[in-house]
Amino acid sequence: MKQLFLAMFVVLAILSVVAQVTKPSREFAGRTRIIWTTDDNPARQAQISIFDQQFPHLKLTIDPANNDMSKIIVQTMAGIGPDVIDCYNRMQLYTYYQAGILEDITDWAKEAGTTPDICWEAARENMMIEGRQYGFPTNPGPWVIFYNKDIFDKAGVPYPSGDWTWDEFVDVAKKLTLKEPGSRRNTTYGIMGYDIMEAIWQNGGSLYNKDGTRCVLDSPEAIEAAQWLMDLQFVHGCAPSPSEEEAMAAAGGWGQGIITLFDAGRLGMIRYGRWGLIVWRKNPKLRIGVCPLPYKKQKATTFVTRISVLNKKSPYKREAFNFMKFLASEDYGNQINDSADNLAPVKRLCYLDRFLHNPQYPQEDYNEVFRDEMACARSVELSKFSNPFVVDRIFRRYIDLMRNKEMTPVDAMTAAAKEINESIEEHVAKFPELQAEYRRLTEAR
């Protein structure tokens, strides 16, 4: 084992030296280059242009190929990591935090006015850990239902308006699932992309109990939600099964994912985020409407955002903090709203007429839905007593077993809860600092 660790150390050391030698120069025409690891969304060039204008002594450069978490941690520990790092979910944020590579920006943020209170309420717990601020959201938003007006018209179904229940939603989804005369094959499906965790929340359930010491996917609320979701496929036939998804892929139009299938007019409704409009705006024939997700006992949708954080080891971290000011600026927020790359992170910018009525896209008369649904947006549940990547892997495996009819919802959810609870005990056993609190909470029950 010692030889293995020694070999890994040597490899990482060599990679660090190579990275040090090949990394881009920090000097750019008399300006200091700030490196930002993010994706290569076309909107990035416009965002870079705004940053460069706001901070003329700096030059923002993206590194879209550097998105491996392990690589980023190794680079950062070696002192050659990027200055600004995008986290795509809370799991990444906590992993970087536990690796000790995040800069605590609490005091700088108070001084600059880039504190959590100017953001959406749902974003705040994504910026904070143990009462300290470590990042700023880039493009928050909720998941909603997009619908194809032409398919509604063809089925003779009125467009959804306002909140609706699971029963109302299923009734509409069934009517939107259409077949050609004389054919057994569906030409359209009513719904695709519904998330099981949202269904559990909407039915009053959760992933963990309140103190995070136990997974409760075996609760009646969670099991009923899983059954409802599977019934969309196997009872009502209004959502494609995995095999039907493969068949559609073979027929074309699926290769680029669910967003392309909606664009091709194969889905009456789709659960998606506002950023889908970046693609769908290119299709002037696609007539879109937007409405909230349905609910059973309470409204709920998943809050989604990237969070930008600073590299604690960066020699330019003070300069890089200007990126947080940029994210909180009106110019950046308006660019996010105008481009449909979700919602501006500063809440007040979504209460301007510019957000509700974009003159370039006058047909988009539904932006108020995205704003209103933020009131019921919930972050992905995490527990300090578990490894979120292990929990996610276990849960996803049982979801696949349900979708392939290899397990019933009650059996799958019961087994998932049991396995996740075992992983919690294994995780706590590895960290002595968690054991006393875990024992206190569990013994008090």
Side-chain angles (χ1 to χ4, degrees), residues 219-398:
S219 69
E221 293 84 2
I223 292 172
E224 183 183 29
Q227 184 67 61
W228 176 78
L229 198 62
M230 293 305 113
D231 285 351
L232 294 179
Q233 295 177 34
F234 302 116
V235 176
H236 307 301
C238 57
S241 66
S243 60
E244 289 167 329
E245 290 174 0
E246 290 180 5
M248 285 190 286
W254 178 249
Q256 297 181 45
I258 185 172
I259 192 170
T260 305
L261 204 58
F262 184 72
D263 188 63
R266 301 291 304 279
L267 300 173
M269 297 184 287
I270 179 178
R271 167 192 170 270
Y272 217 78
R274 187 167 181 259
W275 62 91
L277 292 172
I278 296 173
V279 172
W280 298 325
R281 281 174 173 177
K282 299 175 183 175
N283 182 357
K285 295 182 180 178
L286 184 62
R287 298 171 57 237
I288 291 176
V290 176
C291 64
L293 295 175
Y295 70 97
K296 178 69 179 294
K297 295 178 181 176
Q298 59 188 15
K299 285 171 60 66
T301 183
T302 303
F303 174 80
V304 60
T305 187
R306 286 180 291 114
I307 297 285
S308 289
V309 298
L310 300 187
N311 170 6
K312 185 178 182 178
K313 304 282 187 181
S314 167
Y316 303 100
K317 60 187 179 185
R318 203 66 176 92
E319 291 86 348
F321 180 73
N322 287 308
F323 190 83
M324 302 300 166
K325 298 178 184 176
F326 158 69
L327 294 178
S329 69
E330 186 163 340
D331 286 344
Y332 172 80
N334 286 336
Q335 194 279 330
I336 292 291
N337 286 340
D338 293 348
S339 66
D341 191 14
N342 231 350
L343 307 183
V346 175
K347 183 176 178 178
R348 71 173 180 82
L349 298 178
C350 293
Y351 283 80
L352 303 176
D353 187 67
R354 175 170 178 165
F355 170 70
L356 293 178
H357 306 104
N358 185 335
Q360 192 173 357
Y361 302 98
Q363 75 279 13
E364 295 178 2
D365 56 357
Y366 39 68
N367 282 324
E368 191 172 5
V369 176
F370 301 106
R371 191 178 69 187
D372 292 348
E373 288 310 286
M374 289 294 270
C376 64
R378 299 175 57 166
S379 299
V380 173
E381 292 183 58
L382 297 177
S383 164
K384 66 166 65 175
F385 303 112
S386 68
N387 180 323
F389 293 98
V390 172
V391 171
D392 185 67
R393 186 170 63 246
I394 294 171
F395 193 18
R396 293 297 156 195
R397 177 157 49 82
Y398 283 101

Side-chain angles (χ1 to χ4, degrees), residues 408-441:
T408 64
V410 62
D411 289 343
M413 299 296 277
T414 302
K418 180 175 182 294
E419 194 168 331
I420 291 172
N421 282 324
E422 290 172 350
S423 76
I424 289 175
E425 293 180 1
E426 292 172 2
H427 184 78
V428 171
K430 295 177 184 175
F431 298 94
E433 66 272 23
L434 294 177
Q435 292 169 10
E437 184 179 1
Y438 181 76
R439 279 198 302 272
R440 178 177 60 79
L441 292 170

Side-chain angles (χ1 to χ4, degrees), residues 122-234:
R124 295 171 188 171
E125 63 181 322
N126 291 268
M127 309 160 63
M128 308 284 289
I129 300 177
E130 305 288 342
R132 307 294 293 179
Q133 184 176 348
Y134 287 92
F136 201 86
T138 62
N139 58 339
W143 293 85
V144 298
I145 295 292
F146 287 84
Y147 59 88
N148 184 317
K149 290 184 175 180
D150 286 339
I151 295 177
F152 269 75
D153 291 347
K154 186 176 181 180
V157 179
Y159 303 146
S161 61
D163 295 333
W164 51 342
T165 66
W166 278 5
D167 290 342
E168 293 168 331
F169 171 78
V170 171
D171 183 55
V172 169
K174 289 164 63 177
K175 292 176 180 175
L176 300 178
T177 304
L178 306 174
K179 290 180 170 62
E180 290 295 337
S183 173
R184 297 178 59 187
R185 179 185 167 194
N186 290 338
T187 55
T188 63
Y189 282 88
I191 178 62
M192 192 167 177
Y194 215 100
D195 180 73
I196 190 170
M197 204 59 236
E198 284 169 343
I200 292 170
W201 290 336
Q202 290 158 3
N203 199 35
S206 60
L207 175 58
Y208 297 107
N209 62 357
K210 288 186 178 179
D211 57 28
T213 57
R214 181 174 176 76
C215 172
V216 291
L217 287 177
D218 54 354
S219 69
E221 293 84 2
I223 292 172
E224 183 183 29
Q227 184 67 61
W228 176 78
L229 198 62
M230 293 305 113
D231 285 351
L232 294 179
Q233 295 177 34
F234 302 116

